[in-house]
Amino acid sequence: MKVDGETRSARKEREIIHAATVAFVSQGYDGTSMEEIATKAAVSKQTVYKHFVDKETLFGEVIRASAAQATEAFDAVAALLTEAEFMTGGLQKVARRFMSMLMDDERLKLRRLIIANADRMPQLGRDWYEKGFERMLASMATCFQQLTDRQLLRTPDAYLAASHFFGMLLWIPMNEAMFTGNTKPRSQAELERHADATVETFLIAYGEPAKPST
């Protein structure tokens, strides 16, 4: 049976993944039980096991779902970086939104969980990287190549340029959040100033070369 285009089974699975995300983020992987996830999802434990064979499988789905959501959100933002948007500060908007998205408290906590369990569940960390960050890099590289083709940027290696862009954006705030527990997160204004400074520096390195005077 479908409800609003979604089958009942698919909706139930989505609700379980959401409940599991809340549980894992608040209590960690080891501190979360399938029974607790079932309670949060308002289903029986048998229903949870019907959809997910064990806790590790469910944790993997949580990671993949989060990575997919982040990538879809970023792609929607990056798609706005047309020539016209770029000329009116579009790269600044992309940088600011990307910072806000990745510095989201729930996503930061999930990232810490993935790192903490990387040795015993290495494939989950690879899934997060490949389906999330690596795809965002590819998307940004495509945007930079298109802008280079229009002579609005000069990126001989668009993928490397995207790596530099994300590296400048994330190196300090992300590491700060990972190693300090984000107990005193940066304000939105601070994140925006950091994003703006990143864009300014990036354009000094990769901006359109000055046209020779006539």
Side-chain angles (χ1 to χ4, degrees), residues 97-136:
R97 293 182 188 180
F98 183 71
M99 286 285 288
S100 295
M101 179 178 67
L102 283 197
M103 296 301 290
D104 172 75
D105 187 55
E106 181 179 282
R107 190 164 280 115
L108 286 174
K109 290 177 179 176
L110 188 57
R111 180 187 287 261
R112 291 190 200 104
L113 267 181
I114 295 167
I115 293 171
N117 291 280
D119 287 340
R120 59 174 167 170
M121 292 180 273
Q123 183 56 48
L124 300 186
R126 284 194 292 270
D127 283 347
W128 171 275
Y129 184 82
E130 292 170 0
K131 294 179 171 59
F133 196 65
E134 198 168 69
R135 287 179 61 181
M136 290 183 201

Side-chain angles (χ1 to χ4, degrees), residues 86-194:
F86 180 79
M87 297 297 290
T88 58
L91 189 57
Q92 181 187 63
K93 295 176 186 176
V94 169
R96 287 185 172 195
R97 293 182 188 180
F98 183 71
M99 286 285 288
S100 295
M101 179 178 67
L102 283 197
M103 296 301 290
D104 172 75
D105 187 55
E106 181 179 282
R107 190 164 280 115
L108 286 174
K109 290 177 179 176
L110 188 57
R111 180 187 287 261
R112 291 190 200 104
L113 267 181
I114 295 167
I115 293 171
N117 291 280
D119 287 340
R120 59 174 167 170
M121 292 180 273
Q123 183 56 48
L124 300 186
R126 284 194 292 270
D127 283 347
W128 171 275
Y129 184 82
E130 292 170 0
K131 294 179 171 59
F133 196 65
E134 198 168 69
R135 287 179 61 181
M136 290 183 201
L137 272 173
S139 178
M140 195 79 259
T142 298
C143 288
F144 286 164
Q145 185 60 57
Q146 291 171 347
L147 291 168
T148 295
D149 292 342
R150 295 183 177 91
Q151 298 186 329
L152 296 173
L153 286 178
R154 45 182 174 83
T155 58
D157 185 333
Y159 192 88
L160 181 61
S163 298
H164 288 162
F165 181 70
F166 285 147
M168 286 191 291
L169 271 179
L170 296 178
W171 178 251
I172 294 301
M174 182 60 71
N175 276 295
E176 181 181 67
M178 290 296 98
F179 289 105
T180 65
N182 206 32
T183 54
K184 294 182 179 179
R186 294 191 175 202
S187 68
Q188 185 64 28
E190 288 175 319
L191 291 176
E192 289 181 357
R193 283 198 298 272
H194 182 80

